[in-house]
């Protein structure tokens, strides 16, 4: 059931990405609307606001979750495309292992930066 | 009578090193089909032109070919409906060409055979006629009825962009056949077919372009079959069964099969 599990995870990731990207768009790009609705102040890209988000457990967890889901979604698509051109069982094994290795490396690197960065780290 | 050009991509795997195009002038009249145009070419212009046909009424699926860049049945396509002065004909895409407009359909039929396209019953054969029945409600029949209209013409396979990239991809026709049998209440072969369905070159890699559905001359919806199989595989992953298989009904009134046979008349009775 490996392909079904990969495909199902891909769909779940797409839904999670949709929600988290909506959150990202709201906070980073619709700041004028949010300021009017929530009575907040300051530009989202201002250094102090960025530091505040970097120190927040909620934002850290959403960043890590977005990183994980975007990487899985992207590498699943890349694997699908590559395997349409190299379709032998050996190529399938190599491409799958390489996608997992690249994805996990990028995930742990990104997660480390996200988790370790904060007001105390500057 | 009007004249129309037939531009045909010709190739013989036995004699040619590469395909080439040849143009013929055909006299047309209202109601004339592409198949009749081809017959005119063979009778009057070039007896070596090869294509495949049988029923001439859109039932057998033999004459599927690429007509003006679209997989269609030659017997089911009227020349005047194409609204073109030049009709371009090729053998079905995504298949090796045997000769001219004759594709080698063996790759499709090998994949079809691999998915076990027949009723499978756990623990034995289907009940013998006259002994018991596997009754089916109209709703159960509707689950697979439209998918059983497939005539194996290969038009969907020729239109499939995934198959164009990946020759190992099962393709719309075998996958539709898989769903046709999986969704039959008399069948219990889902677990046997699951390995093929869940394989790398199977339903998870369908691009869902839905070209297969658009070109099918019988109105079958392979794209829907593939999406329904995705649902079935996910339900199976969480151990949810969509239905319980039909059980033999020994007490049902069974059909007397002998009474269905055509009566045999002697010469005297006929007179």
């Amino acid at each position: 059931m490996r392909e079904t599990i990969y495909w199902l995870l891909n769909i779940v990731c797409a839904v999670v990405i949709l929600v988290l990207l909506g959150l990202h768009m709201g906070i980073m790009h619709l700041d004028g609307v949010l300021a009017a609705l929530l009575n907040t102040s300051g530009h989202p890209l201002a250094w102090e606001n960025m530091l505040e988000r970097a120190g927040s457990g909620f934002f850290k967890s959403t960043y890590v979750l977005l990183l994980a889901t975007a990487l899985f979604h992207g590498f699943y698509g890349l694997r699908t495309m590559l395997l349409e051109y190299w379709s032998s069982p050996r190529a399938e094994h190599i491409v799958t292992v390489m996608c997992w290795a690249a994805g996990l490396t990028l995930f742990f690197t990104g997660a480390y930066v996200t988790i370790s960065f904060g007001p105390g780290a500057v | 009578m009007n004249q129309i050009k037939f531009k045909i991509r010709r190739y013989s795997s036995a004699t040619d090193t590469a395909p080439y195009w040849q143009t013929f002038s055909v006299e047309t009249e209202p109601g004339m089909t592409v198949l009749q145009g081809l017959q005119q070419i063979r009778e009057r212009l070039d007896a070596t032109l090869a294509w495949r046909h049988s029923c001439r009424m859109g039932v057998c699926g033999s004459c599927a070919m690429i007509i003006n860049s679209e997989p269609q049945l030659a017997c089911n396509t009227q020349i005047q409906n194409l609204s073109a002065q030049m009709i371009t004909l090729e053998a079905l895409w995504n298949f090796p060409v045997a000769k001219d407009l004759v594709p080698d359909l063996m790759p499709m039929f090998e994949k079809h055979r691999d998915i076990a396209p027949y009723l499978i019953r756990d623990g034995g054969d289907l009940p013998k006629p006259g002994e018991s029945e596997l009754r089916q409600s109209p709703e159960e029949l509707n689950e697979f009825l439209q998918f059983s209209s497939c005539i194996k013409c290969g038009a969907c396979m020729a239109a499939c962009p995934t198959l164009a990239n990946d020759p190992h991809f099962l393709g719309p026709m075998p996958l539709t056949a898989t769903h046709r049998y999986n969704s039959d209440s008399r069948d219990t072969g889902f677990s046997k077919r699951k390995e093929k369905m869940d394989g790398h070159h199977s339903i998870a890699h369908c691009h869902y372009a839905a070209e297969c559905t658009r070109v099918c001359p019988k109105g079958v919806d392979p794209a829907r079959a593939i999406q329904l199989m995705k649902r079935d595989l996910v339900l199976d992953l969480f151990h949810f069964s969509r239905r319980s298989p039909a059980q033999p009904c020994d007490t049902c009134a069974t059909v007397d099969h002998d009474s269905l046979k055509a009566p045999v008349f002697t010469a005297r009775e006929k007179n």
Side-chain angles (χ1 to χ4, degrees):
Chain A
M1 297 298 282
R2 195 179 69 177
E3 291 300 323
T4 303
I5 293 169
Y6 281 171
W7 177 81
L8 183 63
L9 279 174
N10 184 51
I11 299 298
V12 170
C13 284
V15 175
V16 173
I17 289 168
L18 199 67
V19 172
L20 293 182
L21 275 184
L23 195 67
H24 167 84
M25 288 293 287
I27 292 169
M28 304 299 287
H29 305 291
L30 299 174
D31 50 303
V33 178
L34 281 182
L37 288 174
L38 304 175
N39 198 25
T40 57
S41 61
H43 193 275
L45 291 183
W47 177 248
E48 60 274 16
N49 284 341
M50 198 183 72
L51 274 185
E52 190 180 330
R53 289 199 302 274
S56 153
F58 170 75
F59 277 103
K60 275 183 193 290
S61 55
T62 57
Y63 289 156
V64 172
L65 186 60
L66 180 59
L67 179 68
T69 52
L71 281 172
F72 186 88
H73 198 68
F75 274 101
Y76 178 79
L78 178 67
R79 173 179 174 269
T80 302
M81 285 189 282
L82 291 176
L83 291 183
E84 280 186 14
Y85 294 99
W86 299 302
S87 53
S88 70
R90 182 176 162 78
E92 182 185 339
H93 180 72
I94 291 170
V95 168
T96 303
V97 168
M98 286 185 72
C99 283
W100 271 114
L104 287 173
T105 305
L106 289 171
F107 172 73
F108 284 118
T109 308
Y112 172 75
V113 171
T114 307
I115 291 167
S116 61
F117 184 74
V122 182
Chain B
M1 279 210 182
N2 293 324
Q3 291 270 336
I4 195 165
K5 300 277 186 201
F6 271 46
K7 187 180 175 189
I8 301 174
R9 190 171 194 257
R10 304 200 60 178
Y11 174 71
S12 170
S13 55
T15 56
D16 297 329
T17 53
Y20 61 96
W21 291 92
Q22 192 171 7
T23 306
F24 301 93
S25 282
V26 174
E27 291 178 354
T28 65
E29 55 190 47
M32 189 170 164
T33 63
V34 172
L35 182 65
Q36 288 171 311
L38 286 170
Q39 284 167 332
Q40 191 185 111
I41 292 171
R42 189 150 71 182
E43 285 165 9
R44 301 182 191 174
L45 302 171
D46 188 344
T48 66
L49 181 64
W51 74 90
R52 192 186 279 132
H53 78 281
S54 181
C55 75
R56 297 173 294 168
M57 58 178 79
V59 174
C60 72
S62 305
C63 64
M65 58 184 70
I66 305 296
I67 303 173
N68 285 355
S69 305
E70 183 104 348
Q72 300 178 76
L73 297 180
C75 69
N76 221 16
T77 308
Q78 292 195 14
I79 292 171
Q80 63 186 15
N81 290 349
L82 292 170
S83 304
Q85 286 306 306
M86 171 91 81
I87 295 176
T88 309
L89 300 175
E90 298 170 67
L92 286 178
W93 295 327
N94 301 337
F95 290 102
V97 178
K99 190 176 182 214
D100 297 339
L101 301 173
V102 180
D104 176 7
L105 298 175
M106 275 314 289
M108 177 175 79
F109 288 118
E110 282 168 0
K111 290 170 185 173
H112 183 238
R113 183 193 58 205
D114 288 348
I115 57 97
Y118 40 81
L119 291 177
I120 297 170
R121 293 288 297 179
D122 284 340
D125 295 330
L126 291 163
K128 289 189 172 60
E131 288 180 3
S132 63
E133 289 183 357
L134 292 169
R135 287 208 157 179
Q136 233 169 13
S137 68
E139 291 76 24
E140 288 170 332
L141 178 67
N142 279 335
E143 287 279 312
F144 68 88
L145 186 60
Q146 76 118 324
F147 303 114
S148 64
S149 301
C150 174
I151 56 173
K152 322 285 183 283
C153 65
C156 56
M157 304 287 277
C160 177
T162 312
L163 195 60
N165 272 346
D166 178 6
H168 300 289
F169 180 61
L170 274 178
M173 190 285 273
L175 287 172
T176 304
T178 308
H179 185 65
R180 178 257 174 271
Y181 287 98
N182 282 341
S183 54
D184 191 320
S185 62
R186 298 165 296 179
D187 183 89
T188 56
F190 182 87
S191 55
K192 185 177 177 184
R193 298 186 192 102
K194 195 165 68 177
E195 190 186 344
K196 277 284 173 191
M197 292 158 66
D198 189 52
H200 174 65
H201 304 284
S202 191
I203 61 173
H205 287 243
C206 165
H207 294 181
Y208 197 43
E211 279 295 291
C212 47
T213 298
R214 194 178 64 80
V215 302
C216 178
K218 304 306 286 184
V220 180
D221 193 348
R224 178 175 165 77
I226 292 170
Q227 300 311 306
L228 290 172
M229 275 193 291
K230 284 179 182 172
R231 177 197 63 185
D232 292 346
L233 279 172
V234 170
L235 288 175
D236 183 71
L237 185 66
F238 295 106
H239 304 290
F240 290 115
S241 178
R242 282 189 54 238
R243 60 172 169 81
S244 50
Q247 295 302 318
C249 176
D250 295 329
T251 56
C252 299
T254 55
V255 177
D256 178 7
H257 287 263
D258 288 335
S259 69
L260 298 177
K261 289 177 183 169
V264 179
F265 296 108
T266 61
R268 180 182 290 176
E269 284 170 331
K270 276 183 183 173
N271 294 331

